[in-house]
Amino acid sequence: MTMDVLSLARLLVGYDTISPSSGERACLEAAAPLLRTAGFRVRFDDYGPGRSNLCAQLRPDSGAPSLCLAGHIDTVPLGSAAWSVDPFAGEVRDGRLFGRGACDMKGGMAALVCAAVRAAPFVPPDRDLCVHMYGGEETGCEGSFHLVADPSLLGHPAAVVVGEPTDNLPLVGHKGALWLRGETTGRTAHASMPEQGDNALLTAMRAAGRILAHDFTRQAHPHLGPTTLTATTMHAGLNINSVPDSAVFTLDLRTVPEPGNAALAAAVAALAGDETRFTTLLDVPPVWSSPDDPWISRVTGLWAARHGRRNAAPGTVQFFTDAAAIRSALPSVPILIYGPGDPAMAHRTDEFCPVSQLFEAVSFYLDVIADWCGVDRARTGDAA
Ligand SMILES: [Zn+2]
């Protein structure tokens, strides 16, 4: 069973996998036969009703180091604006594949699967190749964090490619995220006698003020930039003439390797003081792989050679990806982020991916796999 990358991308787009949705398992089951026929052992990793990841390993139980090709099959909702195409039809027009997830990232996922299927016969016995198809990325990498927590599914990745849309440019990192919810409590009273109460809103405002006055940007990463922190919501009070006895606010931090999420959470709590209780709503670590890492430098060299450049100068992005979950499980494995589609097109109405980029991505993934396997690239053929 074979399928070209465009057909597979259209097949995946045809499933409604809007996160959080119960359609993930069905979408993954549609892709599974391709991988099975190519010799992969396919296992599903269920983490909720209809919610699932797929893990395909070519040499399971061998202990061989693997190249892991990873992406997600869930999408964001359609948005409130009307689409000019059916978001689940996989319509191709003017060289573009339209649909929810065409860019982020069913196109990239299809390209990873097609490259893995094509390369499977050439993988030597002492090397493994695996494909991870995650659900739940758009709701905080739920799927990938679930899969990487199981050592038997994770296997032994020595290098990872995440196929998020990068316009087919090689990227080596992105910021992490830390979402905190602060809560204060007090004692209500008539607003004409505020001294009788304990105003939770004022307590929250003072705590938030101390946090926001702090400069978190001093330890900038040379490539990812500084940690940023901003206050995003604050809610308190039920009516205009009562002292509020509870208040809640949220903070969105975008983080870099130093000082890192745990140290930042502690610093925020210390600035707020004992009167504020914090709950962590999302904790996604930053991702950074040095361009000098031997594997990163080899694969970015392959990219440069393909594009007739002397070197690649790999970049970074602002949004987080499943690479964060992989990084949390494998602190030192090199991770390359490369995939078809303009990242600015992700989550948009009338989302699309250029068809030519789908085929180009398969071809580059085959460069990377051939290099990993030590086989002549000419043997693996191309993207069709
Ligand atoms: Zn994505």
Side-chain angles (χ1 to χ4, degrees):
M1 183 178 185
T2 56
M3 195 179 273
D4 70 73
V5 62
L6 178 59
S7 303
L8 180 57
R10 295 187 68 208
L11 178 78
L12 298 178
V13 166
Y15 288 84
D16 175 349
T17 53
I18 293 171
S19 217
S21 97
S22 55
E24 291 171 357
R25 176 76 189 233
C27 181
L28 294 170
E29 280 173 0
L34 274 172
L35 290 157
R36 272 200 204 99
T37 311
F40 287 85
R41 178 174 77 182
V42 172
R43 286 185 292 174
F44 294 96
D45 173 39
D46 298 328
Y47 64 97
R51 309 206 67 190
S52 193
N53 305 304
L54 181 155
C55 175
Q57 288 163 289
L58 197 59
R59 312 230 180 281
D61 311 321
S62 69
S66 68
L67 171 64
C68 177
L69 309 177
H72 67 89
I73 53 97
D74 65 311
T75 71
V76 290
L78 300 178
S80 51
W83 284 55
S84 71
V85 294
D86 177 345
F88 301 109
E91 195 175 309
V92 179
R93 208 203 299 155
D94 303 328
R96 295 166 166 179
L97 168 65
F98 286 86
R100 178 50 89 221
C103 171
D104 184 11
M105 57 159 283
K106 288 174 171 175
M109 194 75 253
L112 291 168
V113 170
C114 284
V117 164
R118 179 163 280 273
F122 307 100
V123 178
D126 61 344
R127 297 257 137 170
D128 194 7
L129 181 64
C130 66
V131 180
H132 288 182
M133 303 175 75
Y134 306 122
E137 193 269 349
E138 300 290 1
T139 46
C141 306
E142 283 171 85
S144 50
F145 273 107
H146 193 268
L147 190 151
V148 302
D150 182 340
S152 77
L153 292 172
L154 182 61
H156 306 280
V160 178
V161 179
V162 173
E164 284 280 350
T166 65
D167 249 342
N168 284 352
L169 296 171
L171 305 181
V172 290
H174 57 70
K175 284 185 176 179
L178 179 65
W179 294 351
L180 300 174
R181 176 182 185 273
E183 187 175 5
T184 60
T185 51
R187 191 173 61 253
T188 191
H190 196 284
S192 65
M193 296 168 276
E195 71 284 358
Q196 304 274 317
D198 175 8
N199 193 322
L201 174 58
L202 293 183
T203 308
M205 286 169 66
R206 287 191 203 103
R210 287 193 293 276
I211 295 162
L212 293 165
H214 185 81
D215 182 6
F216 286 93
T217 66
R218 274 175 297 187
Q219 268 179 290
H221 183 274
H223 299 275
L224 297 170
T227 295
T228 61
L229 177 149
T230 191
T232 47
T233 69
M234 183 175 275
H235 298 284
L238 298 172
N239 55 317
I240 196 165
N241 54 349
S242 295
V243 172
D245 59 1
S246 91
V248 172
F249 61 99
T250 55
L251 304 169
D252 181 322
L253 292 90
R254 299 301 165 126
T255 65
V256 296
E258 294 296 332
N261 292 19
L264 286 166
V268 166
L271 286 163
D274 294 342
E275 293 163 306
T276 309
R277 285 183 311 281
F278 281 98
T279 310
T280 301
L281 303 179
L282 183 75
D283 183 359
V284 172
V287 173
W288 172 251
S289 302
S290 169
D292 300 327
D293 169 273
W295 180 76
I296 292 283
S297 115
R298 267 208 329 277
V299 294
T300 54
L302 292 171
W303 183 91
R306 165 174 285 275
H307 294 275
R309 307 242 188 119
R310 293 260 295 281
N311 52 44
T316 61
V317 275
Q318 294 298 319
F319 54 85
F320 61 80
T321 75
D322 289 309
I326 297 163
R327 172 57 76 236
S328 72
L330 301 163
S332 57
V333 69
I335 303 174
L336 180 79
I337 305 164
Y338 168 103
D342 177 353
M345 183 47 62
H347 303 194
R348 293 253 201 112
T349 307
D350 289 345
E351 177 181 346
F352 69 82
C353 181
V355 172
S356 61
Q357 284 199 8
L358 294 175
F359 286 91
E360 188 193 342
V362 177
S363 192
F364 177 67
Y365 293 147
L366 285 167
D367 288 357
V368 173
I369 300 170
D371 170 80
W372 169 253
C373 297
V375 302
D376 183 354
R377 174 65 176 84
R379 286 180 64 205
T380 60
D382 229 313

